[in-house]
Structures are given as structure tokens and as C-alpha cells.
Amino acid sequence: MDKNNIYQEYGDFIFKYLFTLTNDFHAAEELTQETFYQAIKSIHNFHSNGKAKFSTWLCSIAKNVWLQEINRENKKQQLVESLSNESEKFTSVEDVYIRSEDKLDFFKKARQLNDVKREIVYLRLLGDLSFKEIGIIFGKTENWARVTFYRAKQELRKGE
């Protein structure tokens, strides 16, 4: 196989193959170049013994190059996600202080509510229960729980 004519002979074929895999013109161009680079590097591994055509061998190289690129992109995406998750973990001291002050303020205000309203607020906000579930706990209707929660919120806002 003549190394100098491989690209001229098979370039369009491999590009079209990679374009069908990627649906991206620029990615297919880049992967085509990489495919031929890898093919030239390992052309001594291709044996023309009639078992496989040269175009099939090139397609297998192209597919492997494409899969390597997908893996590289996935790893890059995982790294970006892990770094963004890490940055969320490191909040400033000021943010922690403000959140803790807000919590303290909320609980101080909640203590001013009557027992029923305070419990409904706790069940809704801390227990993450639906109004229907809260109504069942109190033996009342869903609407009763909704209205009582609304009134408790109004009382909490008045205290601001």
C-alpha cells in the first residue's frame, strides 16, 4: 500500500463515515486527520491477505479514534462537573454565618407561633410533607392545612 496516496484515495470515504457517526463537520474533519495519522503509524500491521479490505481496516481505526474522542469528552465533562460540585462545597465563612443567622432568626420567629401553626410549618418546611399529609396527621382537610400554613407564614412575615 502506497502511503502517499492513501489519503487521496480514502479520505472522502473515511470523512463521510465519521460524519455519519458525529453529525459534526468539524469533528469529522479532525477525526479524519487523526485516523490517517494512526493508519500511517501502524500501516505495517495491515496484512493484505484477502481477509479484510483496506477500507474496512481504516474504518475500524476511524471508529476507535471516534470512541477515544467520546471517552475524552466524557472525562472532560466529568471533571468539569466534579470541579463545579467541589466549588459549591467551599462556601465562604460569610455565607455560612448568614445562613446560620437566618436559621436562628427563623426559629426564634417560629417559637412565637401557636403550637399547631409551628408544627405545621415544621412539617411542611423541615419534614417536606404535602398539605394532604399534614391534614391527615391533624385529622383535618388538605385545605385546612394549606390555610393554616398560609396564616403562619403571614405571622412570621409580620415579625420581620
Side-chain angles (χ1 to χ4, degrees), residues 4 8 21 33 44 49 77-78 84 98 127-128 139:
N4 298 329
Q8 285 77 23
L21 294 175
Q33 295 298 319
H44 61 277
N49 56 9
Q77 184 63 32
Q78 288 173 351
S84 69
I98 290 169
D128 201 28

Side-chain angles (χ1 to χ4, degrees), residues 19-154:
F19 186 71
T20 60
L21 294 175
T22 63
N23 283 331
D24 182 339
F25 184 85
H26 297 293
E29 281 183 330
E30 290 293 322
L31 294 173
T32 300
Q33 295 298 319
E34 182 63 23
T35 297
F36 281 96
Y37 171 73
Q38 295 297 330
I40 296 298
K41 271 183 30 180
S42 60
I43 198 159
H44 61 277
N45 292 332
F46 177 73
H47 302 289
S48 181
N49 56 9
K51 291 184 180 178
K53 294 184 351 186
F54 189 72
S55 59
T56 305
W57 182 72
L58 283 175
C59 283
S60 68
I61 293 173
K63 183 178 178 184
N64 287 332
V65 167
W66 173 64
L67 291 173
Q68 287 171 353
E69 182 63 23
I70 288 173
N71 287 335
R72 196 174 7 263
E73 288 299 318
N74 287 342
K75 286 178 183 175
K76 206 182 301 180
Q77 184 63 32
Q78 288 173 351
L79 179 62
V80 167
E81 288 173 6
S82 77
L83 289 176
S84 69
N85 289 342
E86 287 296 318
S87 68
E88 290 171 7
K89 290 179 186 176
F90 298 110
T91 56
S92 69
V93 174
E94 295 87 8
D95 291 341
V96 171
Y97 176 75
I98 290 169
R99 276 194 222 127
S100 66
E101 285 296 309
D102 289 343
K103 285 180 188 176
L104 285 173
D105 190 44
F106 167 76
F107 284 110
K108 284 178 186 176
K109 290 177 183 177
R111 294 237 345 113
Q112 303 302 315
L113 298 172
N114 69 37
D115 291 341
V116 172
K117 287 180 182 174
R118 184 173 52 243
E119 190 172 352
I120 289 173
V121 167
Y122 289 167
L123 289 172
R124 179 72 178 157
L125 298 178
L126 303 175
D128 201 28
L129 295 178
S130 69
F131 291 117
K132 184 176 183 177
E133 293 167 323
I134 293 170
I136 291 170
I137 289 171
F138 282 92
K140 306 278 186 172
T141 65
E142 177 181 348
N143 196 43
W144 173 86
R146 191 179 306 275
V147 169
T148 307
F149 179 74
Y150 175 78
R151 290 179 181 158
K153 280 194 329 186
Q154 294 303 100

